[in-house]
């Protein structure tokens, strides 16, 4: 039973709360946690694994690295993102270990652009610096955590995961050449994107895209090219994906990297242009609704005069996956032009400081030692 | 207020998903906008240390926030007794109702905030305050009576 006074009280408190806009501060959390560990005399360090979870608009990019124990079984862990994902094994009660998880935080997104496709799909693109150490290894999650030849910086007792994107809703979609999530299927039914082999023209930085229609939302990520392409006529599919099947409103997307000579990029299905975009920093994200996916679709790059520069199939980046969702091919994805730049080696630090991080550069994710329990 | 949690949340997801709500709760409980984030961060640090063993993290951290705010009240009371009062805490903008809330005993204020801001049932409030549900009802009843007396004499 309520009366006017209780309603007034409720309204007053809600108004006070609405006036505050606190943001999660992972750095402060890490510092406090490290300080507490220091007070307890716990030796800092020992874990260098880092993982990355994109906040997908909701989260600010907080992730856990499954470095609690070598005895922890990733296969038995509940997951909303896919098998073997970092942090998935660290849900409450998922492990009998009393050692809390180490933690890594993702760097904030850098907004690139937003646009609405011809079919009404709102597309937002971001870049996200990776905190992964030891170079870029997109398929790390397909490697047993105790044997990680692709990432020498990953300790043998840690599970180093690839950068992934947290779903807006606990559901899944499919994608290639990157990760893609979205839709509204029940938890546990997430389809993990087969991850393409490392692109030699990529760094650990990610291009994160968020797409939405009036019926469904989805997001995905692909590896970001390390620099502008060396050839003006470059037209390379970085990744594709789809979402919204569960809602009955499927949408497919493709991320394309183009050279300076390409003035516009079109996505054509059965000879009909369904979306087009002027490149933004060499990056194009195209989307097309429909349940046919991108089968038979092509990406066409045209120059300023309208002449076709290059045409590639939209399914160019697709990689056959095995039963575990891991890529079966280790070759370089086909492309019209390939630029080979060595991926820079990032250094993992346990405590981020302004002095060690250049402005605008990917910030190494702080990776806490496991605080003592109790 | 999104209080619901899921069993499949990672700590990072839980932290990101509940930090803001808990800071608001802490600000209402403590009356201090400045102190609330630090109080909640400490609570999350404590939760992190027990993450793998805590079965229901949200009630756990909520209880931690309530206790942290009570400790903050005690600390500020000590500070105010010590001259000179250089510490100037940024409090919520004062008004009649806020002033009346601030004058409530800590547990009464906590019960009121958890009920009328958090929309929590008596059982959950009792869990946060470590008391019986009947005690919660009593606390809220007395708090409302005090507030009415102050605001509607």
């Amino acid at each position: 039973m309520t009366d006017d006074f209780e309603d007034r009280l409720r309204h007053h408190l809600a108004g006070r709360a609405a006036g505050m806009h606190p943001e999660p501060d992972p750095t402060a959390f890490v510092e406090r946690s490290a300080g507490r560990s220091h007070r307890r005399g716990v030796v800092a360090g020992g874990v260098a694994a880092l993982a990355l979870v994109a906040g997908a608009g909701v989260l600010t990019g907080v992730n856990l690295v499954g470095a609690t124990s070598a005895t922890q079984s990733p296969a038995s862990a509940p997951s909303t993102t896919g098998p073997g994902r970092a942090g998935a094994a660290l849900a409450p009660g998922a492990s009998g270990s009393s050692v809390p998880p180490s933690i890594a935080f993702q760097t904030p997104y850098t907004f690139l652009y937003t646009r609405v496709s011809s079919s009404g799909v709102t597309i937002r693109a971001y870049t996200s610096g990776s905190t992964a150490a030891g170079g870029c290894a997109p398929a790390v999650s397909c490697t047993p955590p105790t044997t990680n030849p692709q990432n020498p910086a990953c300790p043998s007792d840690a599970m180093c995961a690839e950068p992934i994107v947290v779903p807006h809703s606990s559901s899944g979609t499919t994608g290639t050449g990157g990760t893609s999530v979205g839709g509204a299927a029940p938890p546990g039914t997430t389809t993990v994107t087969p991850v393409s082999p490392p692109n030699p023209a990529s760094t650990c930085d990610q291009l994160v895209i968020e797409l939405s229609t009036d019926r469904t939302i989805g997001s995905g990520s692909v590896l970001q090219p390390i620099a502008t392409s060396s050839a003006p006529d470059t037209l390379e599919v970085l990744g594709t994906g789809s979402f919204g099947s569960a809602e009955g409103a499927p949408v497919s997307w493709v991320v394309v990297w183009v050279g300076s000579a390409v003035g516009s990029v079109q996505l054509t299905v059965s000879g009909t242009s369904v979306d087009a975009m002027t490149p933004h920093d060499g990056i194009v994200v195209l989307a097309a609704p429909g349940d046919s996916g991108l089968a038979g679709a092509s990406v066409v790059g045209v120059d300023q005069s309208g002449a076709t520069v290059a045409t590639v199939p939209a399914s160019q980046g697709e990689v056959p996956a095995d039963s575990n969702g891991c890529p079966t091919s280790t070759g370089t994805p086909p492309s019209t032009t390939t630029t080979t730049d060595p991926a820079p080696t990032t250094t993992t630090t346990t405590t981020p400081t302004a002095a060690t991080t250049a402005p605008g550069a990917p910030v190494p994710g702080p990776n806490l030692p496991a605080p003592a329990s109790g | 207020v999104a209080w619901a949690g899921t069993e499949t949340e990672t700590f990072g997801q839980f932290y990101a998903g509940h930090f803001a709500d808990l800071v608001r709760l802490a600000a209402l409980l403590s009356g201090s906008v400045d102190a609330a984030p630090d109080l909640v961060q400490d609570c999350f640090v404590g939760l992190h240390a027990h993450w793998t063993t805590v079965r229901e993290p949200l009630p756990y951290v909520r209880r931690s926030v309530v206790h942290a705010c009570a400790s903050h009240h005690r600390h500020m009371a000590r500070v105010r007794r010590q001259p000179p009062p250089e510490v100037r805490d940024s409090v919520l903008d004062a008004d009649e109702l806020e002033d009346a809330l601030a004058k409530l005993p800590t547990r009464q204020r906590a019960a009121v905030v958890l009920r009328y801001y958090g929309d929590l049932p008596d059982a959950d409030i009792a869990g946060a305050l470590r008391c019986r549900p009947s005690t919660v009802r009593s606390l809220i009843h007395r708090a409302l009576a005090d507030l009415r007396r102050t605001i509607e004499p």
Side-chain angles (χ1 to χ4, degrees), chain B residues 90-103:
Chain B
S90 295
V91 298
L92 293 168
D93 295 337
D95 68 7
E96 186 181 39
L97 192 49
E98 186 60 36
D99 289 344
L101 277 169
K103 291 174 183 173

Side-chain angles (χ1 to χ4, degrees), chain A residues 88-174:
Chain A
L90 302 172
S95 168
S97 170
S98 61
V99 182
S102 61
I103 206 165
F105 294 104
Q106 183 214 9
T107 55
Y109 289 172
T110 301
F111 179 77
L112 284 182
Y113 59 82
T114 183
R115 63 177 284 262
V116 179
S117 74
S118 307
S119 54
V121 180
T122 302
I123 301 169
R124 297 174 182 84
Y126 307 83
T127 59
S128 174
S130 169
T131 59
C136 192
V140 164
S141 67
C142 294
T143 305
T146 55
T147 57
N148 190 349
Q150 296 191 36
N151 192 348
C154 181
S156 59
D157 61 345
M159 179 180 12
C160 297
E162 63 178 296
I164 56 175
V165 174
V166 171
H168 288 288
S169 56
S170 52
S171 64
T173 58
T174 59

Side-chain angles (χ1 to χ4, degrees), chain B residues 1-127:
Chain B
V1 182
W3 295 115
T6 66
E7 292 185 356
T8 55
E9 278 182 313
T10 65
F11 180 83
Q13 291 170 323
F14 182 84
Y15 172 85
H18 294 287
F19 180 84
D21 281 339
L22 289 168
V23 169
R24 294 188 187 98
L25 174 65
L28 294 173
L29 290 172
S30 67
S32 170
V33 177
D34 286 347
D38 289 342
L39 295 174
V40 174
Q41 290 283 21
D42 281 342
C43 294
F44 271 107
V45 170
L47 172 65
H48 178 245
H50 301 92
W51 178 252
T52 56
T53 56
V54 173
R55 187 168 298 179
E56 295 181 280
L58 185 55
Y60 181 96
V61 72
R62 189 192 298 139
R63 188 162 59 237
S64 298
V65 168
V66 171
H67 290 171
C69 291
S71 298
H72 176 76
H73 271 298
R74 288 193 292 271
H75 171 71
M76 292 309 295
R78 283 196 299 271
V79 170
R80 290 189 194 99
R81 284 197 295 268
Q82 296 172 355
E86 291 291 335
V87 177
R88 176 59 183 165
D89 199 10
S90 295
V91 298
L92 293 168
D93 295 337
D95 68 7
E96 186 181 39
L97 192 49
E98 186 60 36
D99 289 344
L101 277 169
K103 291 174 183 173
L104 290 176
T106 302
R107 285 169 65 82
Q108 285 187 20
R109 176 173 177 141
V112 166
V113 170
L114 291 171
R115 163 63 60 81
Y116 294 106
Y117 170 67
D119 283 331
L120 294 180
D122 289 346
D124 289 355
I125 300 174

